[in-house]
Amino acid sequence: MFKKAFTLSEVLVVVAIISVVAVLTLPTVINSADRNKNITQLRKVQNELQAAFSQAITKYGDSEEWGTGYTLNINRIFEFLDIKRCGVTFPLSGYSFSGYPVCELKDGTIISTSSIAIYVAVDGINGNTKGKSIFRFNINYNSGEILPYGYGIDRNASTNAIKLDNDMIQATNWAVVNGNMDYLDCASSLNWETKLTCK
């Protein structure tokens, strides 16, 4: 007795359905993978910046003594980073500060600074989206810490919601702490107490 086989038309219908599903879901999968890669890189850069800051303090002493006000010598931190080259252009206009270095790390990350801020393009020259590939860290010279922007200011006392001003740059703390960029999809529904993802 013969078993019934699928006809060519049935096989083609199944293949067509699978193709449509793949086309619809592939962009979501790729976007999620890109975000995860950027968060991993963001956390790595923070660790590298913190290590460099600690090494600079060991070599030069208390960072509060490096200068006064906003003239602190941030170049001392750069001395301990794995830099490929400096003098590059930051991939987003307005994030290169006169008198401060803009450097590319050997892993392709580009960093730009002001006196207390370090802006990071985790996608290198292709990173031009705030909150997705462009982030900011603040230098706390008092505590000797490199803190993700938003730390200490992004929790609203009444709702514990994420505050997103300055075009998502302030979400750096959310991305580092929670390991997601869901604020790009559902920022208004997120909060630090009960809603850490869009799901």
Side-chain angles (χ1 to χ4, degrees):
M1 205 170 185
F2 294 103
K3 293 184 179 178
K4 185 175 187 264
F6 293 109
T7 65
L8 180 59
S9 61
E10 290 172 328
V11 170
L12 290 175
V13 167
V14 170
V15 169
I17 291 170
I18 291 172
S19 298
V20 168
V21 170
V23 166
L24 293 175
T25 59
L26 195 57
T28 302
V29 171
I30 291 171
N31 189 41
S32 178
D34 285 345
R35 289 183 183 185
N36 290 338
K37 176 183 71 76
N38 286 357
I39 286 173
T40 299
Q41 184 63 18
L42 181 65
R43 288 173 167 171
K44 176 178 175 276
V45 170
Q46 182 185 18
N47 290 337
E48 290 172 355
L49 289 169
Q50 185 61 63
F53 194 15
S54 298
Q55 288 176 289
I57 290 170
T58 298
K59 180 174 180 179
Y60 294 106
D62 187 350
S63 59
E64 289 185 280
E65 304 299 322
W66 291 0
T68 58
Y70 292 120
T71 62
L72 295 162
N73 193 345
I74 196 169
N75 293 337
R76 292 179 174 176
I77 297 173
F78 279 63
E79 180 181 335
F80 299 97
L81 291 171
D82 199 9
I83 293 176
K84 178 179 180 180
R85 61 189 170 136
C86 288
V88 298
T89 301
F90 199 79
L92 194 62
S93 62
Y95 284 80
S96 298
F97 299 92
S98 178
Y100 293 97
V102 179
C103 299
E104 180 182 6
L105 301 181
K106 287 190 178 171
D107 64 11
T109 301
I110 297 176
I111 54 178
S112 177
T113 63
S114 68
S115 55
I116 61 167
I118 300 176
Y119 293 90
V120 176
V122 295
D123 257 352
I125 60 170
N126 301 314
N128 58 9
T129 305
K130 297 175 185 178
K132 183 176 181 185
S133 54
I134 304 288
F135 299 94
R136 172 181 165 176
F137 292 99
N138 283 349
I139 304 167
N140 187 322
Y141 289 96
N142 296 323
S143 67
E145 293 177 283
I146 302 291
L147 299 171
Y149 189 50
Y151 179 87
I153 59 173
D154 60 357
R155 296 185 189 204
N156 181 293
S158 60
T159 64
N160 291 308
I162 180 172
K163 290 182 180 178
L164 295 176
D165 63 2
N166 200 17
D167 299 315
M168 301 288 182
I169 289 289
Q170 189 167 313
T172 302
N173 188 50
W174 181 279
V176 168
V177 173
N178 297 315
N180 69 58
M181 297 180 193
D182 284 7
Y183 50 81
L184 295 172
D185 304 317
C186 66
S188 61
S189 69
L190 297 175
N191 68 72
W192 283 89
E193 300 301 320
T194 60
K195 186 76 172 161
L196 299 178
T197 71
C198 295
K199 298 174 186 175

